Every structure is written in C-alpha cells, then in structure tokens.
C-alpha cells in the first residue's frame, strides 16, 4: 500500500514561490489500477517523480507498506519494489537492449525471458536484443524498451508516466491489454499518468490533478 | 613464463595458451616464442628490432598474434613490425602490449607497425594496451601505425587502451587507393594523472575510397586527452570521423577533428561531443536498483565497449 500524506512541492521563481503540488493526500491499495490525469502543468509528472524518489517534496510524507520512505533514495525505493517508467526514455551509448533489461531484472536474462518481456511491448527478441539503446532506435522503440524494463523489475508499484507517448495507435491497443493483465497480478499496484481515454477507462480509479491539487473525488462515467 | 606475464597475455590478447596459427610473443625485449605457418611467415629484422610478417596472397581465415609484454622495470624499446598482406588475403591480426612495472624506472614500448595491404585483401587488426604495477616508474606506450591500402582492400582496426597506461602518443597514418575502405574504432580510458594523445591522419586518394573513424573515450581523475583526426578527401570519397568523450572529475579533454575536401565529390563529416555522464542516465539506472556508483560504472563500461 502506498500512502501520500499532505505532499507539497514548491519552487522559487525569482522572488515568487510557485506551488507545483499543493497538499496532496492519497492512498493507493495493493492490486489497484489507478490513472492520474489532468491538464499539462498540473503536476502529474512531479508527483510521479516524488513517488520514485527523484524529487524530494518540500512538505509531507510518503509511506510504503507502513514505513515512511520520504527520505529513502531512488535506489532504496527501487529495491523495495517501486518501479518508474520515464516519460522520455534515456539513451545509453554502447549498452544493449538485453543488458539494460538484465540490469532491470537484476540478473543476466536468458533469451526466453527476454522474449517474454519484449513481446509484452510488441518487440521481437531476435531483432532487438543486441541493438544498442541509443539514437539508432526510434522514439517509439525506445519507449517500448523503457516499458519492458519496468515489466522486468517485477515490482510492487508500477508507475508509468504517459506510457502512450510515442507509441503508434496499432500497438497502443495491445499495450492496454498488457496493462489490464497486470491487474491480475497479486500484490502489485499500477499507477499510470495518462491523457488517453482508453487507459483511463481501464483504471479502477481516476484521479484528476488540477493546478497541483486533487480537485475532488472523481469517478469516471462508465 | 611467470603468472604476471601470463595474466597480461590474457588481458591484451585473450591468450590462455599458445595460439593456433602464426604468432610471435615478445617478452622483456626478446622473442619468447614464434611460429610461422605455410601461408604466414614471420622473420626477424636484420637492421633493427622487430619482425616482418609476410602473408601470402589468397590466405584465408588465418590469424597472427603478436603480443608484447614487459614485466621488467626500466626497459625501454622501439620495435618495428611490418606486415605485408598479399592480394585477396583475409586475415585477423591481434597485437597488443601489456606493461607490468613495479620498479622505479620507466618502462616504455614504442611499436611502429606498417601495413602494406595488396589489392582485394581484408584485414581485421585488434590492438589492446594495458598497464599495471605499483612502482613509481611510468608505463609508456607510443604506437605508430602506418597503413597503405591497395585497390579495393579493407582494414578494420580496433584500438583499445584498457587502463593503466601513464602516457601514450598514438599516431596513425593511412593512405587509401581506389575503392579501399578503412574503419578505425578507438576505445580509450585514462585515469589519475595519465596523458593520451591520438593523432590520426587519413588520405582518401582513390576514387570511391572510404574511411570511418570512431573514437570513444572516458577521462577520469586528473587525466588529460587530446584527440586529433584529419581526413583528407582527394577524390570522390566518403569520410566520417566521430569523437565522443565522457569527462569526469578534474579531467581535461580536447578534440580537434579536421576534414579537408580537395575534390568536389568528397563527402566528409565530422562530429565531436564531450560531456559528463548525463544525470538522467544515472537516475534511470538507480530506478532499476543500482547505486550511483554502480550506475556510473555500467554507463562507462557500456560506452567503452
């Protein structure tokens, strides 16, 4: 279970303070599939980075499985089972797809295991495992590999920042199926930041962020 | 041969035992062992230190190992090795130099390699440099590589300096005839107070000749690197040079890529990029459970692969 308590994040813009996140409180249970949506600049990505430990909140606390992890490092949170898929995938010159996914899995993966993770994102293992994770891959390919690293983590919290960005419509449909399958996994919650109606529709609960605040309890019309 | 020297042979040439095919192992300034084959003859030079390696025309799928190791502190040598690669031959040449210096004197190996590659021949050349030992004496290597590529011949050169070389001045010269092709891949790591200079000069003289120079380096500690590459396009040709460096700590890296087009049909491109490890690369690997140090190591190792 993940619990955010009175989280705020403030930055200084010249002499003025700007609240990116304003007193966010939220509890996400095990096995829940939550979508976070809202307009650009509403603080969605900041919230995701705070959960992953990349940004420290200026106020408030984060609890994971009952313990306060507000001060825990990115590495420690990853080891506890929090995985985070970047909105903009990172390039690594010289590191191969199979090596990056093996790092994510924490062990040198066999081809059969790689095939399993890559097929979930619609990539052929033979075609991709020895490619380098650099600009020779297209934006869409990099994004899928980014998602595959998260599946290989086998974490307890799977946090995706706009997984649909850069993915073509055809593979988008199978991506949603992949997310729906994650729901069947036990002791794992999925948090997806998205603008996509189809992803939002697949969620158990939708949270609407607006100007750094959760406006009101929001339930999608089914 | 003792364990230190044997281990160095593994590091620089992946030699766990005596190789098959032609070889010449040079240890502490002398030939330690040698083997010529029917197609590849190795002869000691009469006028100076070094060997001639003569590869018969049409030799296919054979290899030559010519590693050099120095375990004796204070030994300084200049060695001349000439490779004559016959028409249509296709061979792999594995060179490399390892210095173990635990004494007070400087140990230095300056290898001058000349390649005369005949029409249609293909060569893959691998050179690894490595230094170790805790003596005050420096470990120095100044390789010179001179290549003459005949019509439609090809050479792919992989030049790697793994670690532990205090000072290196790496000079490479190449001239290409019609349809010849040259690929140079350099991987370089410097640390502590080490210095490395790379100086590559390629002349694309023949029609449809091509050169691709790819250098990736990492400079750590207070080390210093200078990368100079010049591609001269004197005909209808293609040339590309790329220098990519990761700079860390207090290191200094300088890159001077030059392309000279002397023909309207020369297509020449150069790229140079120097920068520290991107913060987001480290963050991404930390979200996969690596510590900052582990992340940095993976990024550097991958980059130099």
């Amino acid at each position: 279970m993940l619990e955010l308590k009175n989280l705020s994040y403030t930055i200084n813009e010249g002499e003025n303070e700007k609240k990116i996140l304003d007193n966010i409180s939220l509890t996400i249970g095990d096995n829940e599939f939550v979508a976070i949506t809202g307009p650009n600049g509403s603080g969605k990505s900041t919230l995701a980075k705070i959960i992953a430990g990349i940004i420290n909140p200026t106020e408030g606390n984060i609890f994971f499985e009952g313990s306060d992890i507000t001060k825990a490092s990115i590495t420690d949170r990853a080891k506890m089972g929090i995985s985070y898929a970047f909105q903009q995938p990172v390039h690594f010159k010289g590191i191969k797809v199979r090596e990056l996914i093996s790092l994510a899995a924490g062990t040198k993966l066999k081809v059969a295991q790689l095939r399993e993770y890559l097929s979930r994102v619609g990539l052929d293992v033979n075609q991709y495992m020895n490619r380098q994770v650099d600009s020779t891959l297209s934006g869409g390919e990099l994004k899928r590999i980014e998602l595959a690293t998260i599946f290989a983590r086998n974490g307890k919290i799977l946090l995706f920042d706009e997984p649909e960005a850069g993915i073509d419509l055809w593979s988008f449909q199978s991506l949603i199926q992949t997310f729906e399958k994650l729901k069947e996994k036990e002791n794992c919650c999925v948090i997806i930041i998205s603008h996509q109606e189809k992803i939002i529709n697949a969620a158990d609960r939708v949270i609407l962020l607006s100007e750094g605040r959760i406006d009101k309890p929001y339930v999608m019309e089914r | 041969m003792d364990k230190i020297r044997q281990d160095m042979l593994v590091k620089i040439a992946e030699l766990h035992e005596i190789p098959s095919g032609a070889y010449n192992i040079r240890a502490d300034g002398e030939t330690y062992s040698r083997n010529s084959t029917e197609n590849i003859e190795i002869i000691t030079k009469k006028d100076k230190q070094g060997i001639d390696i003569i590869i018969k025309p049409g030799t296919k799928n054979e290899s030559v190992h010519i590693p050099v190791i120095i375990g004796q502190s204070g030994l300084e040598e200049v060695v001349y090795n000439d490779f004559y690669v016959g028409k249509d031959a296709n061979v792999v040449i594995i060179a490399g130099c390892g210095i173990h210096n635990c004494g007070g004197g400087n140990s230095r190996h300056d290898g001058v390699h000349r390649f005369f590659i005949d029409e249609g021949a293909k060569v893959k050349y691998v050179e690894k440099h490595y230094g170790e030992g805790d003596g005050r004496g420096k470990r120095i290597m100044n390789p010179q590589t001179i290549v003459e590529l005949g019509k439609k011949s090809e050479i792919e050169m992989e030049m790697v300096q793994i670690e532990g070389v205090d000072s290196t001045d790496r000079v490479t010269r190449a001239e290409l005839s019609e349809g010849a092709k040259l690929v140079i891949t350099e991987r370089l790591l410097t640390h502590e107070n080490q210095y490395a200079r790379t100086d590559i000069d390629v002349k694309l003289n023949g029609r449809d000749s091509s050169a691709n120079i790819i250098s990736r380096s990492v400079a750590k500690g207070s080390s210093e690197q200078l990368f100079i590459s010049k591609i001269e396009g004197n005909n209808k040709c293609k040339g590309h040079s790329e220098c990519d460096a990761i700079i860390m700590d207090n290191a200094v890296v300088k890159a001077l890529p030059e392309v000279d087009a002397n023909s309207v049909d020369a297509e020449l491109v150069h790229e140079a990029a120097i920068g520290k490890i991107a913060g987001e690369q480290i963050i991404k690997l930390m979200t996969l459970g690596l510590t900052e140090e582990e992340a940095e190591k993976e990024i550097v190792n991958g980059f130099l692969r």
Side-chain angles (χ1 to χ4, degrees):
Chain A
M1 192 178 74
L2 181 74
E3 195 181 358
L4 312 178
K5 263 192 183 164
N6 309 108
L7 277 187
S8 291
Y9 182 63
T10 311
I11 55 165
N12 292 318
E13 272 191 340
E15 296 197 347
N16 302 321
E17 282 196 336
K18 191 179 173 194
K19 271 211 156 146
I20 306 293
L21 290 175
D22 187 4
N23 201 25
I24 300 279
S25 292
L26 183 65
T27 304
I28 298 171
D30 296 342
N31 306 324
E32 226 190 332
F33 183 161
V34 176
I36 301 176
T37 193
N40 291 333
S42 57
K44 302 184 297 296
S45 289
T46 306
L47 185 61
K49 284 180 180 158
I50 286 177
I51 296 171
I54 297 166
I55 294 177
N56 292 318
T58 31
E59 279 170 71
N61 294 80
I62 308 163
F63 296 89
F64 176 56
E65 294 182 328
S67 21
D68 188 338
I69 60 159
T70 318
K71 298 265 187 297
S73 69
I74 303 172
T75 310
D76 288 342
R77 290 185 207 201
K79 285 181 175 161
M80 288 173 205
I82 300 178
S83 352
Y84 164 67
F86 284 44
Q87 188 179 356
Q88 304 279 356
V90 182
H91 295 195
F92 292 95
K93 269 191 184 167
I95 296 184
K96 289 177 181 166
V97 170
R98 69 182 305 166
E99 292 163 343
L100 186 66
I101 299 176
S102 289
L103 283 176
T107 173
K108 200 174 169 198
L109 292 177
K110 298 204 166 73
V111 178
Q113 294 163 298
L114 278 168
R115 178 177 292 119
E116 146 81 12
Y117 297 128
L118 287 171
S119 69
R120 283 206 222 170
V121 293
L123 297 179
D124 175 59
V125 68
N126 296 319
Q127 213 182 330
Y128 284 94
M129 67 178 180
N130 290 321
R131 297 277 302 269
Q132 293 188 11
V133 189
D134 62 14
S135 53
T136 58
L137 292 167
S138 75
E141 288 168 328
L142 286 165
K143 186 72 177 196
R144 290 171 199 221
I145 290 157
E146 175 70 14
L147 298 178
T149 62
I150 303 310
F151 298 133
R153 290 290 303 154
N154 201 18
K156 294 177 187 161
I157 293 180
L158 311 184
L159 182 59
F160 298 91
D161 194 351
E162 295 196 24
E164 72 272 19
I167 302 265
D168 58 84
L169 272 178
W170 187 82
S171 26
F172 182 67
Q173 200 56 43
S174 57
L175 188 64
I176 289 175
Q177 281 170 9
T178 302
F179 286 130
E180 283 186 329
K181 264 192 209 150
L182 284 177
K183 279 205 279 191
E184 294 159 16
K185 231 185 107 200
E186 280 183 24
N187 301 319
C188 148
C189 77
V190 179
I191 306 168
I192 302 189
I193 292 171
S194 179
H195 295 291
Q196 267 292 337
E197 203 184 340
K198 280 193 173 158
I199 290 183
I200 294 169
N201 282 338
D204 300 324
R205 184 152 61 112
V206 178
I207 289 152
L208 179 66
L209 264 186
S210 171
E211 294 178 344
R213 283 187 298 273
I214 299 175
D215 258 3
K216 56 188 172 208
Y218 184 82
V219 181
M220 282 293 289
E221 295 290 330
R222 302 280 171 183
Chain B
M1 190 174 280
D2 64 8
K3 180 110 187 10
I4 287 176
R5 287 167 177 81
Q6 278 174 15
D7 286 349
M8 279 200 292
L9 276 180
V10 173
K11 283 248 181 200
I12 61 165
E14 282 161 25
L15 281 186
H16 294 272
E17 51 195 52
I18 293 296
S20 61
Y23 62 86
N24 187 85
I25 300 173
R26 185 181 174 90
D28 296 321
E30 296 169 6
T31 298
Y32 170 77
S33 73
R34 173 182 299 171
N35 185 46
S36 293
T37 64
E38 201 187 327
N39 294 322
I40 303 175
E41 194 183 4
I42 302 178
I43 310 165
T44 305
K45 275 194 188 295
K46 293 203 175 69
D47 54 337
K48 49 193 169 189
Q49 286 284 324
I51 48 177
D52 286 333
I53 298 103
I54 300 152
I55 299 166
K56 276 190 190 165
T59 303
K60 299 278 182 213
N61 304 321
E62 286 197 41
S63 64
V64 191
H65 284 80
I66 50 152
V68 172
I69 46 177
I70 297 177
Q72 185 189 330
S73 181
L75 183 90
E76 303 197 29
E77 62 178 6
V78 184
V79 178
Y80 298 84
N81 296 336
D82 290 336
F83 298 83
Y84 299 89
V85 183
K87 195 177 168 193
D88 295 326
N90 189 340
V91 290
V92 177
I93 299 167
I94 295 164
C97 179
I99 296 180
H100 180 98
N101 191 350
C102 48
N106 290 345
S107 298
R108 194 185 89 223
H109 175 80
D110 295 352
V112 182
H113 288 182
R114 292 193 300 167
F115 293 86
F116 303 95
I117 304 174
D118 259 2
E119 188 175 338
K122 280 186 187 169
V123 177
K124 164 125 185 163
Y125 174 72
V126 182
E127 176 193 278
K128 273 189 192 160
H129 287 169
Y130 169 70
E132 62 177 27
D134 49 13
R136 275 181 299 108
K138 299 250 183 272
R139 300 172 295 259
I140 305 165
M141 295 180 202
N142 298 320
Q144 273 187 48
T145 312
I146 294 144
V147 185
E148 281 182 23
L149 280 156
K151 257 189 188 176
K152 292 190 175 157
S153 66
E154 291 178 18
I155 187 166
E156 194 185 325
M157 315 178 84
E158 204 179 295
M159 295 150 119
V160 182
Q161 179 173 310
I162 315 167
E163 63 175 292
V165 179
D166 292 304
S167 173
T168 186
D169 187 357
R170 307 150 65 84
V171 174
T172 305
R173 298 282 176 266
E175 293 201 24
L176 284 76
S177 318
E178 187 188 318
K181 189 176 161 192
L182 166 75
V183 177
I184 299 176
T185 316
E186 183 187 58
R187 297 285 182 266
L188 196 64
L189 172 73
T190 55
H191 47 105
E192 292 160 22
N193 290 309
Q194 298 173 353
Y195 175 75
R197 178 177 182 273
T198 296
D199 178 351
I200 300 172
D201 190 317
V202 175
K203 290 183 169 61
L204 298 170
N205 297 333
R207 194 175 165 80
D208 294 322
S209 56
S210 74
N212 192 6
I213 302 165
I214 305 143
S215 166
R216 278 198 196 161
S217 68
V218 174
K220 294 186 183 180
S222 300
S223 66
E224 207 177 312
Q225 294 182 6
L226 172 60
F227 174 83
I228 302 168
S229 88
K230 181 174 162 185
I231 301 179
E232 220 177 88
N234 299 324
N235 209 322
K236 177 176 179 283
C237 61
K238 280 195 174 133
H240 173 251
S241 99
E242 178 185 327
C243 157
D244 224 328
I246 291 180
I247 180 168
M248 298 167 79
D249 313 317
N250 300 308
V252 176
V253 179
K254 211 176 196 181
L256 299 170
E258 179 182 333
V259 283
D260 296 1
N262 298 319
S263 159
V264 72
D265 291 320
E267 288 176 45
L268 308 174
V269 178
H270 76 71
E271 298 167 72
I274 303 169
K276 62 180 180 193
I277 296 174
E280 56 175 16
Q281 289 182 323
I282 291 177
I283 290 173
K284 171 63 194 172
L285 295 189
M286 287 171 76
T287 66
L288 300 182
L290 278 72
T291 62
E292 194 173 340
E293 294 72 33
E294 288 165 346
E296 203 174 273
K297 208 174 142 200
E298 286 293 337
I299 294 162
V300 165
N301 289 347
F303 185 74
L304 290 177
R305 203 168 288 139

